Amino acid sequence: MASIKQFQVTFDCAEPERVARFWCEVVGYVVPPPPQGFATWDEFDRSLPAERQGSAFVCVDPSGVGPRLFFQRVPEGKVVKNRVHLDVRVGTGLVGDERLAALEAEGARLAALGAVRVRLLPADDDNESCLVMQDIEGNEFCLD
């Protein structure tokens, strides 16, 4: 049996387009073109039944390599820690003060977009430092 090579990451959220556009900025993704026959995503969205308007949004890796990110509206709010989270790899190969500087710089950039810094996990005997953040709807992710 062949192994699966493509997958998407799905986010449950209250405001799919807003959260998707935030993550586009975080990871350098883009909003794909609207479906054939529609000039814009707004035009496509208005073509849907009222209850489905604004219910989902997508962003993709412009190189086509990374997974598609799918954002879907759900009625309930987030109440507990994520069971899965993204690690945004900004400090790969860096150690010590150089790594901390890279994490802090990216953390400041993302805070300006609405992210919230949660805590710095300092390096220990097994792991390098990592900065825990929350996106604009409170979903945890790490700057690693």
Side-chain angles (χ1 to χ4, degrees):
M1 183 157 109
S3 63
I4 303 296
K5 299 291 185 205
Q6 292 186 349
F7 64 94
Q8 80 176 10
V9 178
T10 300
F11 290 73
D12 290 349
C13 53
E15 298 180 66
E17 182 174 352
R18 179 174 173 252
V19 179
R21 290 189 184 281
F22 169 83
W23 279 101
C24 281
E25 292 293 325
V26 172
V27 297
Y29 273 32
V30 298
V31 175
Q36 188 172 1
F38 296 94
T40 67
W41 279 105
D42 285 339
E43 182 183 324
F44 170 75
D45 199 50
R46 286 190 305 272
S47 76
L48 299 173
E51 68 275 4
R52 289 194 46 222
Q53 291 178 6
S55 66
F57 211 79
V58 172
C59 59
V60 297
D61 180 351
S63 72
V65 175
R68 175 178 132 145
L69 302 182
F70 182 78
F71 301 84
Q72 63 186 5
R73 184 175 57 217
V74 296
E76 68 277 359
K78 181 180 176 307
V79 293
V80 297
K81 184 180 184 310
N82 305 16
R83 295 297 302 259
V84 174
H85 69 266
L86 300 182
D87 286 342
V88 180
R89 310 298 308 271
V90 299
T92 303
L94 303 176
V95 296
D97 290 342
E98 189 177 18
R99 182 180 178 87
L100 286 174
L103 297 177
E104 293 294 349
E106 184 64 3
R109 182 181 83 83
L110 299 181
L113 297 172
V116 174
R117 178 192 174 110
V118 176
R119 70 185 167 282
L120 176 69
L121 300 175
D124 60 26
D125 292 337
D126 298 316
N127 300 295
E128 285 295 334
S129 297
C130 164
L131 183 55
V132 180
M133 306 278 296
Q134 290 178 335
D135 74 9
I136 57 177
E137 285 199 358
N139 300 300
E140 293 88 5
F141 66 97
C142 292
L143 297 181
D144 177 3

